Amino acid sequence: MDIRHLKIMIAVAEAGSMSGAAKKLYITQPAVSQVVKELENHYGCQLFERLGKGIYITEAGKLLCSQARMVIRQFDTLQENMQHMRAREVLKVGSTITVGACIIPGLMADFQVAHPTVDPYNFVNNTKIIEARLLQSQLDIGLVEGAVQHPDLVVEPVIPDYLVIICSPHHPFAGRTFIDARELENETFVMREDGSGTRELFESFARNRGFHVKIGWEVTAPEIIKTIVQKNNALAAISIRLVEAELNNGSVYVIRHPENSWHRNFNLVYHKHKQITAGMQGFMELARKIGSREIPSDHAFGMLR
């Protein structure tokens, strides 16, 4: 028994005859009679009484028609929804907090202009959580700043970036040409949460240089990090791409590492068995285009040594 059986059953009930249903459905009368017989055998009860040349629906037949109409409505809704899904791709994008703050808003605005038939969903969190969701097929593609190690994930570096240390213009480091790394030992830092690629990179540097990072604040939102730095005389390690406006208006002082130790890439990440859809391809192309642009380098920076 399938949806075709139910549609023929309803047609017979509405037409009041096998021939009328056959005419309405553009099939033969024997085909209609066969379907009704199959339904009666399937349910083990009579659906129509045959009296002379007329047929009359039974109580069992009325119940079946009533339930069948609901099933057919649900089936038709399912068909419409699936056709809509076929016409419009849903793209589930995961981005880390740094990327979500400085790259994703502009990228997605361009993406929706270029791909109006794709419905994007964006999820912003740290690298570890994005990685887990990609592995569980909860996301289609990610753009992250942290290291991704799982062998089932494809990682493509696309957007260059580097960390800087920022401080308030009133901090003792502000305006200094050189700052010794050992001086960082006594400073209070605003740090990202565990699982952040930014935090992982800076703490790795600190371990290699033999100093302990004193964490006074643990914050996920870049805008809050910058506010704390400006108002609380703290330091923070942050992406250069997140402080472009502050560099231009002089509200923070930036300290760079001269040996490029804090350079990194924002990486496209997706499962190696994932079918690359048109939406995924379009997203990757736009990310690569952003990666070809220059990042800020024409400002006066302090240097760490």
Side-chain angles (χ1 to χ4, degrees):
M1 194 269 290
D2 55 29
I3 202 75
R4 173 176 170 272
H5 285 72
L6 298 181
K7 288 182 176 180
I8 291 174
M9 173 68 191
I10 291 171
V12 174
E14 291 177 348
S17 69
M18 302 284 185
S19 59
K23 185 176 180 180
K24 179 180 178 180
L25 298 173
Y26 301 99
I27 58 178
T28 66
Q29 182 175 331
V32 173
S33 299
Q34 180 62 32
V35 166
V36 172
K37 184 177 180 180
E38 288 173 0
L39 282 169
E40 289 180 329
N41 289 337
H42 179 78
Y43 288 112
C45 59
Q46 191 174 10
L47 301 175
F48 294 97
E49 282 192 300
R50 286 80 167 171
L51 301 176
K53 292 186 179 180
I55 63 168
Y56 303 89
I57 192 166
T58 65
E59 290 302 314
K62 291 177 182 177
L63 175 62
L64 178 58
C65 282
S66 174
Q67 298 294 313
R69 287 187 177 95
M70 290 190 290
V71 171
I72 290 169
R73 281 197 296 271
Q74 291 176 334
F75 179 79
D76 290 342
T77 300
L78 172 63
Q79 293 291 88
E80 291 173 7
N81 290 341
M82 293 308 296
Q83 287 173 2
H84 175 76
M85 290 295 293
R86 183 172 60 185
R88 296 190 68 85
E89 177 188 348
V90 176
L91 179 66
K92 295 173 289 184
V93 177
S95 60
T96 45
I97 292 169
T98 296
V99 176
C102 64
I103 299 293
I104 288 295
L107 191 159
M108 293 312 301
D110 292 342
F111 178 85
Q112 291 186 282
V113 171
H115 301 274
T117 62
V118 178
D119 293 327
Y121 162 79
N122 290 277
F123 176 78
V124 180
N125 215 297
N126 65 43
T127 301
K128 288 183 179 179
I129 293 175
I130 298 297
E131 181 177 353
R133 293 204 172 198
L134 288 167
L135 289 168
Q136 295 164 7
S137 196
Q138 295 176 354
L139 295 171
D140 298 314
I141 193 166
L143 189 58
V144 306
E145 80 257 24
V148 173
Q149 306 292 343
H150 200 283
D152 287 343
L153 295 177
V154 177
V155 179
E156 178 190 343
V158 286
I159 302 175
D161 182 53
Y162 60 87
L163 291 187
V164 293
I165 293 175
I166 59 171
C167 65
S168 159
H170 309 294
H171 191 280
F173 288 171
R176 286 177 52 183
T177 305
F178 296 103
I179 295 93
D180 195 294
R182 289 171 295 185
E183 296 180 75
L184 301 179
E185 180 90 45
N186 300 318
E187 297 297 325
T188 298
F189 276 82
V190 189
M191 293 294 286
R192 286 280 308 280
E193 77 290 350
D194 279 330
S196 157
T198 296
R199 177 167 175 165
E200 182 181 358
L201 178 58
F202 187 72
E203 287 187 332
S204 175
F205 165 78
R207 286 192 299 271
N208 292 335
R209 294 297 291 267
F211 72 88
H212 172 72
V213 179
K214 178 184 175 184
I215 301 175
W217 304 75
E218 190 171 87
V219 180
T220 58
E223 292 304 316
I224 298 176
I225 290 173
K226 290 185 283 187
T227 299
I228 293 169
V229 165
Q230 292 164 350
K231 296 184 179 296
N232 292 271
N233 223 31
L235 303 181
I238 195 169
S239 165
I240 185 66
R241 293 180 177 273
L242 285 172
V243 292
E244 292 187 52
E246 289 77 13
L247 274 172
N248 291 329
N249 64 30
S251 59
V252 299
Y253 186 69
V254 169
I255 302 164
R256 289 185 59 177
H257 194 286
E259 299 171 4
N260 298 340
S261 295
W262 298 340
H263 279 57
R264 62 181 181 180
N265 289 290
F266 298 154
N267 301 312
L268 286 169
V269 187
Y270 55 91
H271 200 284
K272 67 181 182 182
H273 297 308
K274 187 76 175 178
Q275 180 180 353
I276 305 300
T277 64
M280 289 176 65
Q281 189 63 45
F283 182 86
M284 289 190 281
E285 289 172 2
L286 285 171
R288 293 175 187 130
K289 184 177 179 181
I290 291 173
S292 66
R293 300 173 189 164
E294 293 287 333
I295 52 180
S297 60
D298 56 350
H299 293 269
F301 296 125
M303 288 292 178
L304 195 70
R305 60 183 183 184

